[in-house]
């Protein structure tokens, strides 16, 4: 099973940008579709974006479509989330996770520690 470490979070003003990274260990990273999820204080964890094993299929939550871009580099065993035009409502802890398949975006396995994103107004 792949182990995941998220990084790149921080404090940014509304309208700013951040790039999150999720580094995976193990030799099987390219076998997994990957997703980003987030959890705001007092709320359930929610889906943000996902990318298929090859990177050929990409999915976004409506709330981030047009502002966020997910990508992956299988050689580096890393998945990225470029976040532009950030809004205060994007404030959350962001997690990456393997998802069940290229078409079933439910996460499985253990969660990493996440990375905090705070957007000030």
């Amino acid at each position: 099973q792949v182990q995941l470490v998220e990084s790149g979070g921080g404090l940014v003003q509304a309208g700013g940008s951040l790039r999150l990274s999720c580094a995976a260990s193990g030799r099987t990273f390219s076998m997994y579709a990957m997703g980003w999820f987030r959890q705001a204080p007092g709320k359930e964890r929610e889906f943000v974006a996902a990318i298929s094993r090859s990177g050929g299929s990409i999915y976004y939550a409506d709330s981030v479509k047009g502002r966020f871009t997910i990508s992956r580099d299988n050689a580096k065993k890393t998945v990225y989330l470029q976040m532009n035009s950030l809004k205060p409502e994007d404030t959350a802890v962001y997690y990456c996770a393997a998802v069940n398949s290229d078409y079933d975006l439910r996460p499985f396995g253990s969660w990493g520690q996440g990375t905090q994103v705070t957007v000030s107004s």
Side-chain angles (χ1 to χ4, degrees):
Q1 193 166 350
V2 64
Q3 303 296 318
L4 303 167
V5 178
E6 302 93 340
S7 63
L11 173 64
V12 63
Q13 288 188 330
S17 299
L18 284 172
R19 189 193 196 204
L20 306 184
S21 299
C22 172
S25 62
R27 294 177 293 175
T28 58
F29 176 75
S30 62
M31 294 175 58
Y32 296 101
M34 298 296 297
W36 284 96
F37 300 80
R38 68 186 181 186
Q39 188 167 20
K43 295 188 176 180
E44 297 286 324
R45 196 170 309 192
E46 65 176 3
F47 168 79
V48 175
I51 187 166
S52 63
R53 290 168 293 170
S54 68
S57 296
I58 289 176
Y59 310 89
Y60 296 102
D62 288 343
S63 59
V64 307
K65 203 171 293 183
R67 300 187 298 120
F68 290 12
T69 302
I70 188 171
S71 61
R72 67 188 296 161
D73 185 332
N74 285 341
K76 294 182 178 180
K77 296 188 287 186
T78 302
V79 61
Y80 304 97
L81 186 67
Q82 177 66 45
M83 306 187 296
N84 298 329
S85 301
L86 282 160
K87 304 175 180 180
E89 51 263 44
D90 294 318
T91 295
V93 178
Y94 284 70
Y95 303 87
C96 67
V99 298
N100 284 338
S101 74
D102 288 354
Y103 307 103
D104 177 353
L105 306 183
R106 291 173 294 175
F108 74 93
S110 58
W111 296 96
Q113 84 288 349
T115 186
Q116 175 71 48
V117 172
T118 303
V119 185
S120 62
S121 57

